[in-house]
Amino acid sequence: MTISLTETAAQRLSSFLQSTSTSENEKPKGIRVSAKDGGCNGYEYAMNTTSKPAADDLVVKQDDITIYVDAKSAPLLEGMVIDFIEGMMESGFKFTNPNATSTCGCGKSFEAGDGTPGGTPCNQ
């Protein structure tokens, strides 16, 4: 399993993980990245902090950041690069996914071939 963080994304995530605590008042150990049904193109990216992996998570480590990917999402996210951009019109994490056959203008959802679920209109 390969998911990469740019230097900027790694710095932002590292800083965020150090300043965040979970409901049990412990520091999250990493992030969970997944692709969920939804979004205007059929799949949407999800990313949240976590203190422990789920039973079926695949684990990737980069720059002292642990990335957990659920097994169902892994084929859809293989080779993805996560970046962090800051600009006047847009700031946040940006996903570059080689498996996406098309992406939404918002960059938060994607289509990945014939098996993609139906999309829902986005609120841009």
Side-chain angles (χ1 to χ4, degrees):
M1 177 80 227
T2 304
I3 290 184
S4 303
L5 303 171
T6 64
E7 184 178 337
T8 305
Q11 289 172 350
R12 284 295 243 192
L13 284 169
S14 180
S15 175
F16 184 76
L17 289 170
Q18 290 176 21
S19 67
T20 304
S21 62
T22 64
S23 59
E24 301 90 32
N25 288 325
E26 63 183 55
K27 297 280 182 200
K29 293 180 175 44
I31 60 168
R32 177 170 289 110
V33 180
S34 60
K36 304 202 180 284
D37 290 358
C40 46
N41 273 16
Y43 289 113
E44 61 185 343
Y45 298 108
M47 188 166 70
N48 53 36
T49 60
T50 187
S51 293
K52 51 190 156 195
D56 67 343
D57 280 348
L58 302 172
V59 180
V60 177
K61 289 194 175 228
Q62 182 187 335
D63 299 322
D64 295 326
I65 298 170
T66 304
I67 305 168
Y68 302 103
V69 181
D70 71 88
K72 182 180 173 187
S73 297
L76 296 168
L77 303 179
E78 176 65 38
M80 183 170 70
V81 176
I82 301 172
D83 193 7
F84 189 87
I85 58 169
E86 289 188 76
M88 290 182 64
M89 298 295 290
E90 178 182 20
S91 295
F93 290 99
K94 179 181 178 183
F95 305 93
T96 304
N97 187 345
N99 303 298
T101 56
S102 70
T103 58
C104 178
C106 67
K108 305 295 183 209
S109 71
F110 68 100
E111 184 178 334
D114 295 337
T116 302
T120 56
C122 63
N123 300 326
Q124 288 189 346

